[in-house]
Amino acid sequence: MTKRYDAVIIGGGHNGLVCAFYLAQAGLKVRILERRDVIGGAAVTEDFHPGFRNSVASYTVSLLNPKVIADMRLADHGYRVIERPYSNFLPQDDGRYLLLGGGLEKTQAEFRKFSNHDADVLPQYYDALETVADVLRDLSLKAPPNIGDGVKTLVDAARQGRRLAGLPLEKQRDVLDLFVKSARTFLDGWFESEAVKAAFGFDAVVGNYASPDTPGSAYVLLHHVFGEVNGKKGAWGHCVGGMGKITEIMAKVCGDLGVEISLESPVEKVLVDGGRAVGVRLVGGEEIAADRVIANVGPKLLYDRMIDASDLPADFLRRIRAFKAGSGTFRMNVALSELPRFSSLPEPGEHLQSGIIIAPTLDYMDRAFLDAKQFGMSKRPIVEMLIPSIVDDSLAPPSQHVASLFCQQFAPELPDGRRWDDERETAADVIFDTVEHYAPGFKASVIARQIHSPLDLERKFGLVGGDIMHGHMSLDQLWSARPMLGHGAYRGPLKGLYMCGAGTHPGGGVTGAPGHNAAREILADNSFLGRLMRRA
């Protein structure tokens, strides 16, 4: 083996960088192993056509935790986010549109175009979500109670449950609704307009291979609202330079602390000796020794492909093989000669700086999912379009633009033996046809396109089944059960093995929280300093 490290981290995505930062800050010798030739995992900015560059996979900012931003001093190194003037713009099939965001009064005025009732009830809805979101924000930076730790489990559960138990009864009912109900059932209890329900319901299917009628999908809706931008809760924005700017800065901060970052270093196997992870072997055969192996890859990739089955407890192996992963995501980047013109609001304006959602109703979203289940892809997919070049001229030539298309629903595996390598262009054409229906002339403005099917996302970023969350965000795979009861506090089933990616609490999105929490638990296992950090 080569020289020994206190910790090796598998995968150079943002959570791995965050984890490395805290470990190195505490004095540990850390090495990150990234299989690609660029750091950042799915949060990277790349050229995809001459003169055009964009965030390749992850594409917008809200969930990145303020504590992580402050601790790593990202703003001091050039981190800057431009807030969307509106959250979302939803063109409707009847020629109308709905703008969500821009402040309560503006949103209420938009809602009144569809329902006075929905406008009137909006403040109460926001209050209900914000109360629960505040609790989740607090829990997101805490390791869940680890089932099986005896008295410690009870103490941790009591501490973390205190805020929930202290909520008024009606707020506790909101919590229950959001965790167990479908998005449609939850939203039906508040609103009457289909357009309004779609505006909120879209968040329930983001990265979620499910229908808004799927029980538990209301939680995914909530997961996407507990972020903030520039101190504004629930806001979304564009990072100048793309998402890769975030991980580029994180890598520099880690490097300044002595973290070694090795690119083009794919890990083939976690090395195990006597029930303990003792290092890793790279694809080329090099073995690297470490006191701790920290996985910033999803549970399916880690336990199915990087650890010998004979090294894992039988019950753990059986259960982890049942861990659900796989998303309906189809991701595209598009170079445009001009801005799209939507029939419902054709002139350029602030609506083009928002998330442009092509999913006018919950029924539309449900049909998209059912199509994907039956045929492998939606006939009329759900599309979110962002045009970051409007506010960031570093991404495209003058007067031209780049668009991010985040599309659903597309089956992780196609039925009837079909392959994504053969169907990806067809799927991309269906997506373009869908956008064209709402923005005539869009297809004529396309200069180039970069396609990532679910299989492409797996091959390029290690996202098994194209799952951007590293695993379903369902009730059985959340909090202490992410990825499994007994291993919900970032510790694997082998001594010296830890997990710090989105397959752990609090889940997917560019949050940095799993990396932060995992580092705290690792330090708590090994030092007095860490135990102090854990209490902070």
Side-chain angles (χ1 to χ4, degrees), residues 229-467:
V229 166
N230 301 329
K232 296 182 180 179
K233 292 180 179 179
W236 291 81
H238 169 74
C239 180
V240 176
M243 298 300 286
K245 185 66 174 178
I246 299 172
T247 48
E248 174 189 319
I249 294 170
M250 287 180 170
K252 181 184 184 306
V253 172
C254 286
D256 290 345
L257 288 172
V259 174
E260 294 183 36
I261 298 176
S262 301
L263 303 178
E264 298 182 284
S265 300
V267 172
E268 179 182 60
K269 191 73 63 179
V270 173
L271 301 175
V272 180
D273 184 17
R276 183 180 185 89
V278 296
V280 298
R281 182 170 67 242
L282 304 185
V283 169
E286 178 186 359
E287 294 188 348
I288 301 167
D291 294 330
R292 304 157 192 84
V293 176
I294 306 164
N296 186 35
V297 296
K300 296 294 285 185
L301 183 57
L302 174 65
Y303 294 111
D304 285 356
R305 306 180 192 179
M306 291 184 173
I307 301 179
D308 286 334
S310 59
D311 287 325
L312 295 169
D315 183 68
F316 176 90
L317 184 64
R318 177 179 67 83
R319 292 179 183 277
I320 203 67
R321 284 175 173 170
F323 182 82
K324 301 187 296 298
S327 162
T329 300
F330 196 102
R331 181 73 173 83
M332 299 179 68
N333 294 294
V334 185
L336 300 174
S337 62
E338 61 181 4
L339 291 171
R341 292 178 174 268
F342 289 84
S343 298
S344 57
L345 193 57
E347 296 305 316
E350 289 186 321
H351 65 291
L352 296 182
Q353 297 179 38
S354 70
I356 302 165
I357 309 299
I358 297 177
T361 66
L362 296 181
D363 282 343
Y364 181 107
M365 300 179 206
D366 180 49
R367 284 194 298 271
F369 174 67
L370 294 177
D371 280 350
K373 292 284 286 184
Q374 184 174 359
F375 306 112
M377 65 180 74
S378 307
K379 297 176 182 177
R380 295 186 67 192
I382 301 164
V383 179
E384 180 181 19
M385 176 190 293
L386 267 69
I387 312 173
S389 52
I390 295 177
V391 297
D392 185 354
D393 60 11
S394 71
L395 301 178
S399 302
Q400 297 180 321
H401 292 278
V402 294
S404 302
L405 299 185
F406 181 79
C407 314
Q408 298 163 102
Q409 299 280 359
F410 297 85
E413 294 185 10
L414 293 169
D416 305 321
R418 292 151 51 211
R419 303 186 310 160
W420 271 120
D421 287 337
D422 301 324
E423 303 270 352
R424 60 200 300 275
E425 296 289 343
T426 299
D429 289 342
V430 171
I431 291 165
F432 276 19
D433 288 341
T434 301
V435 177
E436 182 80 12
H437 177 76
Y438 294 90
F442 171 78
K443 291 197 293 186
S445 72
V446 173
I447 298 170
R449 67 189 188 187
Q450 180 189 44
I451 300 172
H452 291 106
S453 71
L455 180 59
D456 294 324
L457 292 171
E458 178 170 334
R459 286 173 174 163
K460 190 169 186 175
F461 301 110
L463 302 173
V464 175
D467 197 327

Side-chain angles (χ1 to χ4, degrees), residues 84-271:
R84 298 182 194 174
Y86 291 94
S87 300
N88 291 323
F89 163 64
L90 286 84
Q92 297 294 301
D93 286 329
D94 62 5
R96 295 187 293 172
Y97 66 86
L98 187 150
L99 278 168
L100 181 67
L104 176 61
E105 292 183 359
K106 286 185 178 180
T107 304
Q108 284 181 300
E110 284 288 310
F111 280 18
R112 291 196 193 282
K113 298 189 304 188
F114 297 87
S115 165
N116 284 324
H117 167 272
D118 291 358
D120 291 340
V121 79
L122 183 62
Q124 289 78 30
Y125 175 80
Y126 278 162
D127 179 65
L129 254 65
E130 188 55 35
T131 299
V132 182
D134 270 342
V135 174
L136 292 185
R137 288 186 187 103
D138 180 57
L139 292 179
S140 70
L141 287 184
K142 291 180 170 62
N146 197 53
I147 306 302
D149 285 352
V151 174
K152 183 178 181 300
T153 301
L154 298 177
V155 172
D156 288 346
R159 285 175 176 168
Q160 296 188 29
R162 191 179 302 153
R163 285 198 64 184
L164 285 173
L167 292 175
L169 180 58
E170 62 270 20
K171 300 299 184 184
Q172 293 187 38
R173 290 169 176 156
D174 290 334
V175 172
L176 181 63
D177 287 348
L178 283 160
F179 272 85
V180 302
K181 286 185 176 180
S182 72
R184 188 194 297 269
T185 301
F186 178 72
L187 292 168
D188 280 348
W190 285 95
F191 303 111
E192 60 185 18
S193 164
E194 294 304 316
V196 168
K197 285 185 275 189
F200 292 120
F202 168 74
D203 282 336
V205 298
V206 170
N208 190 17
Y209 190 46
S211 162
D213 293 323
T214 301
S217 56
Y219 173 77
V220 183
L221 177 159
L222 178 65
H223 182 78
H224 286 91
V225 303
F226 71 77
E228 61 182 82
V229 166
N230 301 329
K232 296 182 180 179
K233 292 180 179 179
W236 291 81
H238 169 74
C239 180
V240 176
M243 298 300 286
K245 185 66 174 178
I246 299 172
T247 48
E248 174 189 319
I249 294 170
M250 287 180 170
K252 181 184 184 306
V253 172
C254 286
D256 290 345
L257 288 172
V259 174
E260 294 183 36
I261 298 176
S262 301
L263 303 178
E264 298 182 284
S265 300
V267 172
E268 179 182 60
K269 191 73 63 179
V270 173
L271 301 175

